[in-house]
Amino acid sequence: SNIPERLPEAWAAMAGDPLLYIPLVAWWFLFEIFFLFHKAESYHHKDVLDNGLSSFYAGLYISPIIQRGGFAEFTKFSPTIILSLIMMGYGMFLIIAAFSKFLPTFLIAIFGNASTDLVVNVIAIFVVDAGMPLDWATIAIVVAPVIFLRILGFIIPKRH
């Protein structure tokens, strides 16, 4: 599938579950705009914690516990369960990393970045909640706005 075919699927998924997608996208957008105008600001352990909580929640949301209503579904092996467990594990890793403060600064900048959080979570939710395939078209429609704002970041002058 290509991007023009996948884009309506993404819009339909977001329109079908606005209470899930709008907060994720709005939160990301506000963080990105903040860092576009305040480039001297840096990421901290609290940002890693925030992303960890968000990723854990996304993993829980796409899990059979929420999607199909019960822990019993975890006994049935499926890609959805694996993705859900990976997301919850990733979230727990970030939460533990934030509390223990063992990540070096360059990793805090990666794992504390709102774009990292958005890309990972929205792709996982698109795949499970909307049934979209995990392919280059799905990844591209999630990553494109991130790239656009990064390019915009080079145009906007640095403020102190």
Side-chain angles (χ1 to χ4, degrees):
S1 180
N2 60 30
I3 294 169
E5 293 172 1
R6 187 62 43 78
L7 202 51
E9 290 179 57
W11 285 115
M14 290 188 280
D17 201 351
L19 291 177
L20 172 63
Y21 292 100
I22 290 174
L24 276 174
V25 173
W27 194 324
W28 161 76
F29 185 75
L30 288 172
F31 271 92
E32 287 300 315
I33 295 301
F34 175 83
F35 281 105
L36 276 175
F37 287 102
H38 302 285
K39 295 178 182 179
E41 292 288 326
S42 61
Y43 295 100
H44 301 284
H45 289 95
K46 65 178 175 41
D47 301 311
V48 175
L49 175 63
D50 175 49
N51 287 353
L53 291 168
S54 167
S55 293
F56 183 83
Y57 174 77
L60 183 63
Y61 185 86
I62 64 174
S63 76
I65 297 168
I66 303 298
Q67 295 293 321
R68 291 189 223 47
F71 285 98
E73 292 293 322
F74 269 113
T75 62
K76 301 173 184 169
F77 183 77
S78 73
T80 300
I81 290 170
I82 300 299
L83 184 57
S84 170
L85 291 172
I86 288 170
M87 291 299 297
M88 287 190 281
Y90 172 69
M92 286 305 301
F93 166 76
L94 293 181
I95 292 166
I96 292 166
F99 274 100
S100 63
K101 297 186 176 188
F102 70 80
L103 291 176
T105 305
F106 78 96
L107 286 179
I108 291 171
I110 293 169
F111 291 124
N113 189 311
S115 293
T116 305
D117 187 48
L118 175 90
V119 168
V120 170
N121 291 334
V122 171
I123 287 173
I125 294 168
F126 273 167
V127 169
V128 174
D129 193 47
M132 294 169 63
L134 180 58
D135 61 10
W136 290 110
T138 301
I139 293 168
I141 62 171
V142 175
V143 173
V146 172
I147 293 171
F148 173 75
L149 284 180
R150 295 299 160 153
I151 291 170
L152 192 59
F154 289 113
I155 298 168
I156 296 174
K158 184 176 182 176
R159 291 186 184 184
H160 298 283

